[in-house]
Amino acid sequence: MIYFDHNATTPIDPLVVEAMMPFLTNFYGNPSSLHRHGRAVKTSIEQAREQVARLVNVPPEQVIFTSGGTEANNLAILGVANHRHALFGKTEHPSVAEPMACLNALGAKTEAISVDKNGLISADCLNEKLTDDTGFISIMYANNETGVIQDVPQLTELTKTKGITFHTDAVQAAGKMAVDFPSSGVNLMTLSAHKLYGPKGVGALIHDNKTELTPIITGGGQEGRYRPGTENVAAIIGFGKAAQLAVQQLEERHQHLHTLRAALEQGIQDISGLSIAAQEVGRIPNTTQILMDNIDGEMLLMQLDQKSICVSSGSACSSNSKEPSPVLAAMGYPRKLALSAIRLSLGQQNTLGEVAEFIAVLKAIVSR
Amino acid sequence: MIYFDHNATTPIDPLVVEAMMPFLTNFYGNPSSLHRHGRAVKTSIEQAREQVARLVNVPPEQVIFTSGGTEANNLAILGVANHRHALFGKTEHPSVAEPMACLNALGAKTEAISVDKNGLISADCLNEKLTDDTGFISIMYANNETGVIQDVPQLTELTKTKGITFHTDAVQAAGKMAVDFPSSGVNLMTLSAHKLYGPKGVGALIHDNKTELTPIITGGGQEGRYRPGTENVAAIIGFGKAAQLAVQQLEERHQHLHTLRAALEQGIQDISGLSIAAQEVGRIPNTTQILMDNIDGEMLLMQLDQKSICVSSGSACSSNSKEPSPVLAAMGYPRKLALSAIRLSLGQQNTLGEVAEFIAVLKAIVSR
């Protein structure tokens, strides 16, 4: 089987599973318990916190573990008090766009910032939307469908002296490129373990420890009261290990993915009517969004599946919908072309042989 | 090591770990993905949903998986619209009491219902608090500290014709006694996997599918939109297996725990100044809360820890506080006696030999 759907989720690195195993077996204590069985687990969680902190270059005190990226995005958006006027990118993940709609329903004014044909938010576009009332902005680091990287440090430059809280969803960026919280200029950043060879069920909100943040779940002292509930211990340990590996292997992973994607994009370029979204701008190195004249993306996905090749027709989260991707719509793609999109997202276990096989299969399907 | 802290958390049953392993290794797909790797995982999640549903005798459509009991309690309380007047027991877990305080801060009227000296809420006490405005009630099934079982079916009898939503936190009850959602009369019920030999990081809210419920986290279609975010797949599968085992082994577990606890309570009854909270009323069979004149519970916990015996001095969630347990305070225990409390919560791997050893160690410590 060829798995080209790493932006939906990644396999867990065997070293991560190995790190988790003791916490699924012998080290089962509740980290809040005062006895030795609890204390040992508590210590391990704090080590994992340091590992995750190092991924984005912050002190461990800035890491709030959550149940995943969706919860972290919700915590950032719903948890920052008093955003009179809130802005977010038009190509944000639903776990940003939907809580924004909730805020709106509660009386805050929320607005989506337009993107250009490459999915980029320009400083001008952001500037235009800023008002004296703007209190909160959420702009993703890298897009889940196209891989496009926003220039977050440039955008935060515009807002940092204005007392605006800036959040970025870095779920797709972390582990695939260097992400440095301090120099990014943001106040809050979302991470997820299962996009970087860690387990599902755990993420983090990185907090500058200055922004006032109200928990969305209450009822215990865990995670500095920002996220109560018995910790998902094994998953947190796994997240720590995955973060450590991502830091250690960043260069080689980056190089490997670049090589694979270059071969992929080179190999499909002569398919008639095929284009690649945002090909000319900076993208995370593993993602290629293909669009093709007169092709139904979901049908193509199913045909590839018959050949044991796993890809996505858009973001996995909206895969039950027959609407075209809102990301491609925001970039100005006409409906029919947007419905042809398939997303290839490569991973560290993929090989040049798999890329070649995919190219051959795709060409065979398209030529029919 | 002797582990008598099963109400804080349980070891994961080896059969549960075995069931989880494929989903930490080969079956890593995102259940929302349309390709075979996603569909296979989706099918397994639906099997786990059936297993959890059977634990409390509901159809699988009534199970909403959450990140744990704390989140499920928050979802029940914050997610039920328009509770003009909300009631909860005085001995509820903080993950019920704190969201109630949040509601209060948002303008709802919330009130705590008194308990008697055994921690029980009488029909009269509940009746007294009901007003025409009462829209929501949360009363736990079994208490985490004392093990006391509320008569939930009797209490729901009082409210069911009044259009009141009744929620119960059954985290400590499920797996230790038969819990039947339909005959309990509640509309919402909270469950947690890691209290019944399943993994941490997963729980469920059982929903009657009639009560209007607003999600507290938004941004995707998972769990019928009640709980978006990529599913914590391995943990959900583990929860399913743990629920299946709990159903299969309920009788023998119950018998085993009864035997152990009878030996325990028999063995300590001649310790001078010792009493057992709520000993005369119905309790889950694994829990004994001990109180002793002139003893500091936390000190005793540490001394037992030195002898490799793990117990709790109250609920694990409030173990960093030097306040007496609010549960014992609500039951009318004076502060000093309440601070002497230690909680013993037995589990299926415990033995009569461990009980005997504990009794001997406790007597040796107390006699000093």
Side-chain angles (χ1 to χ4, degrees), chain B residues 149-197:
Chain B
I149 301 164
Q150 301 290 349
D151 191 346
V152 171
Q154 186 205 23
L155 299 174
T156 57
E157 219 25 72
L158 290 179
T159 60
K160 68 179 182 189
T161 58
K162 298 183 175 162
I164 297 171
T165 299
F166 203 116
H167 166 250
T168 189
D169 173 358
V171 161
Q172 295 292 351
K176 295 173 193 146
M177 61 184 286
V179 175
D180 185 80
F181 184 93
S183 68
S184 74
V186 301
N187 308 97
L188 299 164
M189 176 182 283
T190 294
L191 302 176
S192 170
H194 80 102
K195 309 292 192 190
L196 42 79
Y197 308 98

Side-chain angles (χ1 to χ4, degrees), chain A residues 30 32-36 38-39, chain B residues 298 301-302 305 313 319-320:
Chain A
N30 187 323
S32 296
S33 293
L34 297 175
H35 50 68
R36 64 185 65 195
R39 296 194 307 266
Chain B
E298 206 167 298
L301 180 155
M302 292 302 177
D305 188 40
S313 63
S319 57
N320 283 316

Side-chain angles (χ1 to χ4, degrees), chain A residues 2-6 310-311 343-346 350 354-355 358:
Chain A
I2 298 179
Y3 186 76
F4 281 175
D5 200 11
H6 291 83
C310 295
V311 305
R343 177 188 70 188
L344 313 171
S345 47
L346 309 170
N350 290 142
E354 290 178 332
V355 168
F358 167 78

Side-chain angles (χ1 to χ4, degrees), chain A residues 52-359:
Chain A
V52 171
R54 245 173 260 134
L55 179 65
V56 292
N57 189 28
V58 296
E61 301 77 47
Q62 287 186 228
V63 177
I64 302 167
F65 286 118
T66 68
S67 70
T70 291
E71 186 191 320
N73 280 342
N74 275 261
L75 174 56
I77 293 165
L78 304 174
V80 177
N82 304 325
H83 19 114
R84 308 137 291 185
H85 178 229
L87 297 171
F88 62 105
K90 259 200 178 145
T91 59
E92 295 299 313
H93 189 268
S95 59
V96 165
E98 290 190 30
M100 282 287 175
C102 291
L103 278 189
N104 199 261
L106 293 169
K109 192 178 171 208
T110 62
E111 270 187 283
I113 311 164
S114 296
V115 298
D116 67 15
K117 69 181 186 355
N118 287 314
L120 284 168
I121 291 175
S122 66
D124 284 351
C125 264
L126 172 57
N127 227 348
E128 223 166 67
K129 292 280 187 191
L130 292 178
T131 72
D132 290 349
D133 259 359
T134 308
F136 186 89
I137 297 173
S138 186
I139 295 177
M140 70 204 318
Y141 216 99
N143 187 269
N144 48 313
E145 295 184 34
T146 60
V148 165
I149 301 165
Q150 300 291 347
D151 191 347
V152 171
Q154 186 206 21
L155 299 174
T156 57
E157 216 30 67
L158 290 178
T159 61
K160 69 181 181 188
T161 58
K162 297 181 174 160
I164 297 170
T165 299
F166 203 116
H167 166 250
T168 189
D169 173 358
V171 161
Q172 295 292 352
K176 295 173 195 147
M177 60 183 287
V179 175
D180 185 81
F181 184 92
S183 67
S184 75
V186 301
N187 308 99
L188 299 164
M189 178 183 281
T190 293
L191 302 175
S192 169
H194 80 101
K195 309 290 192 191
L196 42 80
Y197 308 98
K200 297 176 183 65
V202 64
L205 185 65
I206 310 297
H207 181 210
D208 63 7
N209 282 348
K210 289 170 201 148
T211 303
E212 200 182 319
L213 185 67
T214 307
I216 55 176
I217 292 173
T218 59
Q222 293 92 345
E223 297 301 306
R225 304 196 81 80
Y226 288 121
R227 210 312 182 169
T230 299
E231 293 88 339
N232 188 359
V233 176
I236 287 174
I237 304 301
F239 190 7
K241 186 67 188 177
Q244 185 193 48
L245 294 171
V247 170
Q248 287 168 357
Q249 300 171 6
L250 185 64
E251 280 296 314
E252 64 186 272
R253 287 188 193 179
H254 205 274
Q255 191 51 52
H256 177 62
L257 294 170
H258 256 302
T259 305
L260 292 187
R261 188 175 63 177
L264 171 69
E265 298 192 352
Q266 166 77 22
I268 58 177
Q269 68 175 358
D270 58 350
I271 295 177
S272 134
L274 181 144
S275 60
I276 293 171
Q279 195 174 11
E280 303 309 317
V281 300
R283 292 173 294 157
I284 42 174
N286 78 321
T287 307
T288 296
Q289 176 97 294
I290 298 175
L291 299 111
M292 277 179 282
D293 293 340
N294 303 314
I295 292 274
D296 179 90
E298 208 167 298
M299 198 87 92
L300 177 56
L301 180 155
M302 292 305 178
Q303 287 171 299
L304 290 167
D305 189 40
Q306 296 280 322
K307 302 284 182 188
S308 298
I309 298 175
C310 295
V311 305
S312 163
S313 63
S315 84
C317 306
S318 56
S319 58
N320 283 317
S321 122
K322 245 306 195 189
E323 284 307 295
S325 148
V327 172
L328 295 171
M331 290 162 72
Y333 282 94
R335 180 186 158 86
K336 200 173 160 219
L337 188 56
L339 280 172
S340 79
I342 63 166
R343 177 188 70 188
L344 313 171
S345 47
L346 309 170
Q348 58 181 108
Q349 271 98 31
N350 290 142
T351 62
L352 280 170
E354 290 178 332
V355 168
E357 192 180 330
F358 167 78
I359 294 167

